Amino acid sequence: MSEFDDYSCIQSALQGDDMAFHQLIDHYYLTVERFARQIGVREEDLQDVTQEVFIKVFRFLHKYSRGKFSTWLYSVTLNVSKDYFRKQKREKAKIDKTINSSPETFYTENTDLTDDARILHKSIQILDEKYRVPIALFYFQEASIKDISAIMNLSESTVKTRLKRGKEKLKASLEKGGRMYEREAF
Amino acid sequence: MSEKRFDEGIMELKNKYNQSRPVSSPSDIFQAVQASRKKTWIIKGYGGIAAASVCALLIAGILIGSMLTGNDTNLTGEDAVPPESGGRPDAVLGGTGEYDNNENPTDEAADTNNPNESRDDLDVQYKERPETISENITAEGMEHEHTLHLYIDEELGYSTYLEPQTVVTEDIYRSEKLIGREFKVTDSFSITLLVHSEEESSLEAIEMRTIEQMESEGYEESAEPYPVFETPDRQGQFSQPASSQRYYALLEHDGRVFSVQAELPSESFDGRFPVTLKSFIDELMFR
């Protein structure tokens, strides 16, 4: 969908055209769901998070005025996901008070991935949020530095720094994981 | 380690993500959106138990927490700027102070285009907003319009909406890393805004400190927050039986964390204040 089509759909939706908003959902729900997955939302929560994103988009569509719609959409998705992470963290803390250990939940559909891809996936999921989000946007969503800057409300230089440091951490993790697998092979 | 190995792993992962079976359905999403449209502001009647303004208590808690965690936040003596009540919700505050972004960019990162260029539009946008907004409130079966006025804080670079008679105290305290504002809506209801530099603390650390402070004072996190704020990066509601509800909302913007806190006495649930608080937070727009 071109920017012009986005604009037309949004204008129609703002004027009460439900079908126009449905078209926005049709076009963007996969983007939202994939991005949420990439930044660590669990599989069982993806549906709720995706719905919540579009509820917020609908409520605040009048606040979106210029710039790329996708940039704003990523920003909304990020905020909804962060709120979800906070709730998840609080729930986990409560569980940990009564149960000593709580196993980490990872995206489990990775059985056919190579070792390197699996290590990268796990490493990204446990990266600090400040690195995880720009990594997901840059490498998986093909967002530009300028777009990430707008999505995360950060300067472009800060985005570059976080990408650089995040990549270094992932490469280090990959290297460590690689050695581990080599040792296992022997 | 070779770039090629990293790139290949990332590419494989990207393909895997893109091939993943969707778990959401556009029609279900649309139905959820439709259901959400029917929500209107219905003022809850929780009964009245008087409670005094607790703004000072909130701030003290935050500061004690901040000092306990070793942050350099001196709010006593000469650093505490005497309150200056602006008193006009539509006042445009003076000043130019801004925090630095302390991400310590690398040489590579520093070699970039001027990021401020792309923010020119936002600079204007956060100030060029409607002078008033209105919310429809239904209380005891009667609907009436609740009008809020634009408030622009040029020094800290944000705008939002406030009730007309709100008294603004620009510097309830000020240090290099932390600036506080108080918005006194009435004697029993105030909103506090704290702006932390990124150097002062991370979003996560500020949230944990806020929660620990509330819990240490006997508050428990509420299962069903009301009102639910739409825009913050973090939010929470805590309650104390037969007393009041405390709220916090954290918003990260360009390396700074904006922390909004407020306490609603139980009696205030039967009024307009939840709407005022929600609008203050959800309408925050940054430079």
Side-chain angles (χ1 to χ4, degrees), chain B residues 210-228:
Chain B
T210 304
I211 291 171
E212 283 168 8
Q213 179 64 33
M214 291 190 183
E215 289 180 340
S216 72
E217 292 173 16
Y219 284 78
E220 291 184 359
E221 189 166 19
S222 303
E224 295 180 8
Y226 170 83
V228 177

Side-chain angles (χ1 to χ4, degrees), chain B residues 168-239:
Chain B
V168 183
T169 304
E170 287 186 18
D171 290 316
I172 47 176
Y173 50 81
R174 175 185 287 268
S175 73
E176 191 180 338
K177 300 171 184 173
L178 194 63
I179 294 178
R181 303 266 198 260
E182 184 195 35
F183 304 91
K184 190 173 180 182
V185 183
T186 67
D187 286 342
S188 63
F189 176 55
S190 298
I191 300 170
T192 305
L193 173 71
L194 306 167
V195 184
H196 306 252
S197 67
E198 193 172 40
E199 187 185 6
E200 199 268 333
S201 217
S202 69
L203 188 71
E204 288 74 18
I206 292 168
E207 180 175 45
M208 291 311 293
R209 211 159 62 213
T210 304
I211 291 171
E212 283 168 8
Q213 179 64 33
M214 291 190 183
E215 289 180 340
S216 72
E217 292 173 16
Y219 284 78
E220 291 184 359
E221 189 166 19
S222 303
E224 295 180 8
Y226 170 83
V228 177
F229 310 121
E230 307 285 350
T231 56
D233 297 314
R234 303 279 198 278
Q235 63 174 291
Q237 177 185 334
F238 285 73
S239 61

Side-chain angles (χ1 to χ4, degrees), chain A residues 145-174:
Chain A
I145 301 288
K146 187 179 177 182
D147 287 343
I148 300 171
S149 163
I151 292 163
M152 298 186 71
N153 278 323
L154 295 169
S155 68
E156 291 183 23
S157 59
T158 300
V159 170
K160 286 182 181 179
T161 303
R162 290 187 180 185
L163 277 172
K164 187 170 183 287
R165 290 181 185 168
K167 184 178 178 182
E168 283 167 1
K169 286 174 186 290
L170 290 179
K171 285 172 79 173
S173 176
L174 198 54

